[in-house]
Amino acid sequence: MSALNVEIDTIPVSFPEQEQFKNEVTGNTVKVLHAIENTGFQFYNSVSFRNEKEGIIAGGTRLRLRSTQDGGKHWKGFSFSGFANAFYSTAIYENQFYVVGASRYIFRNNDLNTEWEAFDVNTLAENKYALRHPKFYKIKFSPSGLGIIVGDNNGKPLVLKTTDKGAHWQQVPLDGLPADEVPLSDVFIFPDNTIRILSFTGNVYESTNQGNNWRQLRSGKEGESLNSIAFTTKKEGYISGLQGLLLKTTDDGKTGEQIDTAVLGSGANISNLEYTNDNRLLLTTAESFQDKKTKAPLFSIDAQGKISPFLLAQGKTFVFDAYGLFLLNDKVFLLSRDKLYQTKL
C-alpha cells in the first residue's frame, strides 16, 4: 500500500440544520444527513458507516469521496482523479474503510484523519498492462476477513481477493467459468467463506476454496441483466437486476421464481439487496422515471415474496437513483443521487 496526498476538494461542507421528516410506513424519523443543491456529475453510488458518527459516501465523477466524523453535520471532500471515472462500492472490515471503482487502485483508510492509502493492482500481473483499466463494481468482506472484489477487466470477468485485511491483494483464477463470460456484477460471501458471484447475464458461480475453483450454479436466460445477489441461508436468497427483474431461489441459486415487482413502478432497476439481522430483505430502486404514484425509494420483502414500501413520506418526492444501501444495527442509510437519508428499521 502507498499513501496518497490527493485532497483537492477538502473544504468542509456543513449541514447544521438537517432536514427531518416522518417515515409513514414505520413511524420513525428520517434524517437528511447530506445534500447537494447542484449535483452536476457528483452522483453517489455507495455508503458505509462504521458507527453512527463516522462514515463515507462515494461516487463520481473524478473518484469523489466525502467523509464525516460527526454523524453528517460536517463533511470533508476528496477527489482522486482528474477524469470522469467514478467510485462504485465501499466496504468496512475491522474499522477500515475500503473504496473501489473505475480505477486500478484499491483505496483504504483506518481513521478518516490520515491520508488515504492506495493499492495498485498493476503490481499483480506479470504484464503491467494486464489490469490497466479495470472496473471494480463490488467489494465485500466475510466475518473472518476474506475480502472479494468483482468487476470488469476489458470486457472479461475479474475477481480479486485479500486474506490480510486488504494489505495485499491477488487476482483469483476463474477456472470453471466459460471463456466468453461477461463481467461480474456482485458477490456474496457466507460466514464459512463460500463465495457466490453473479455475472451481468445472470450466471451464478460458487467457490468453496476461496476462489481456487468454481462451479456454475445457474445459467442466465436470454435478455436478463442482473446486478445484485443476497442469501439468508445457503439455499434461500434473491437475485435482481434491470426492468424490475427479481428472482427468489430456494436451491442455492440454481433456479429462481420470478417475483411480481409491479409495486416498484415501471422499468425499475433493483440496485441493492440487503438482509437485516432478523432476515428481512430490503431493496432499493435506481431509476429517475418511476411512476408518479410510487414515492418509495426503499422496499421490504416478506417471507412469501410480497414487496411493500419501507420508506414512504406524504408530500415527499424522492429521486429514484438510489444506489447506496447500508445497514448498521437498527439504522438504515439510503443514498440517492444527491442525498443521504438515515432512518430506523
Side-chain angles (χ1 to χ4, degrees), residues 3 22 43 65 85 121 124 152 180 200 221 270 338 345:
K22 184 180 179 182
F43 55 88
L65 171 70
N85 47 331
V121 301
L124 302 180
D152 177 342
D180 62 349
F200 279 103
K221 298 179 181 179
I270 302 174
D338 61 347
L345 289 171

Side-chain angles (χ1 to χ4, degrees), residues 79-284:
S79 178
F80 297 103
S81 171
F83 302 97
N85 47 331
F87 280 130
Y88 297 132
S89 184
T90 62
I92 297 175
Y93 181 70
E94 288 196 345
N95 288 328
Q96 295 207 84
F97 290 94
Y98 298 84
V99 190
V100 296
S103 165
R104 71 176 197 257
Y105 295 102
I106 301 166
F107 296 84
R108 185 179 75 169
N109 187 284
N110 63 3
D111 62 7
L112 298 183
N113 284 316
T114 58
E115 295 176 341
W116 284 80
E117 298 176 319
F119 182 91
D120 187 350
V121 301
N122 272 357
T123 61
L124 302 180
E126 294 181 5
N127 180 351
K128 67 178 181 179
Y129 300 109
L131 293 172
R132 190 172 186 181
H133 299 293
K135 294 179 181 178
F136 301 130
Y137 293 127
K138 289 290 176 63
I139 177 172
K140 293 182 180 178
F141 284 84
S142 74
S144 65
L146 174 64
I148 299 291
I149 296 173
V150 297
D152 177 342
N153 182 31
N154 292 319
K156 298 292 185 180
L158 175 63
V159 179
L160 303 179
K161 74 174 180 180
T162 181
T163 57
D164 59 4
K165 306 176 185 178
H168 300 88
W169 293 83
Q170 63 188 86
Q171 191 169 356
V172 175
L174 297 178
D175 298 334
L177 275 64
D180 62 349
E181 182 56 280
V182 301
L184 305 171
S185 55
D186 202 0
V187 56
F188 190 89
I189 314 173
F190 291 91
D192 67 355
N193 286 339
T194 295
I195 308 166
R196 288 184 185 157
I197 54 177
L198 173 68
S199 75
F200 279 103
T201 55
N203 296 333
V204 178
Y205 303 91
E206 179 182 84
S207 175
T208 57
N209 56 10
Q210 297 192 6
N212 293 322
N213 300 101
W214 300 89
R215 67 185 181 104
Q216 187 166 354
L217 299 179
R218 180 182 190 270
S219 296
K221 298 179 181 179
E222 185 176 357
E224 288 183 342
S225 183
L226 300 176
N227 58 19
S228 192
I229 182 172
F231 282 83
T232 183
T233 66
K234 283 286 186 68
K235 293 290 185 182
E236 184 174 329
Y238 283 85
I239 303 171
S240 67
L242 302 184
Q243 300 300 314
L245 185 56
L246 180 64
L247 304 173
K248 180 180 181 180
T249 179
T250 55
D251 58 3
D252 304 336
K254 299 182 182 71
T255 62
E257 171 195 0
Q258 187 162 345
I259 303 299
D260 183 359
T261 59
V263 67
L264 303 182
S266 59
N269 169 16
I270 302 174
S271 51
N272 282 280
L273 299 173
E274 294 286 347
Y275 277 101
T276 65
N277 290 334
D278 59 359
N279 288 329
R280 283 181 287 171
L281 185 70
L282 300 184
L283 66 84
T284 59

Side-chain angles (χ1 to χ4, degrees), residues 49 53-55 66-75 112:
F49 271 72
K53 298 293 186 180
E54 299 172 302
R66 292 186 188 273
S67 64
T68 182
Q69 295 178 278
D70 57 9
K73 295 180 180 178
H74 299 83
W75 293 84
L112 298 183

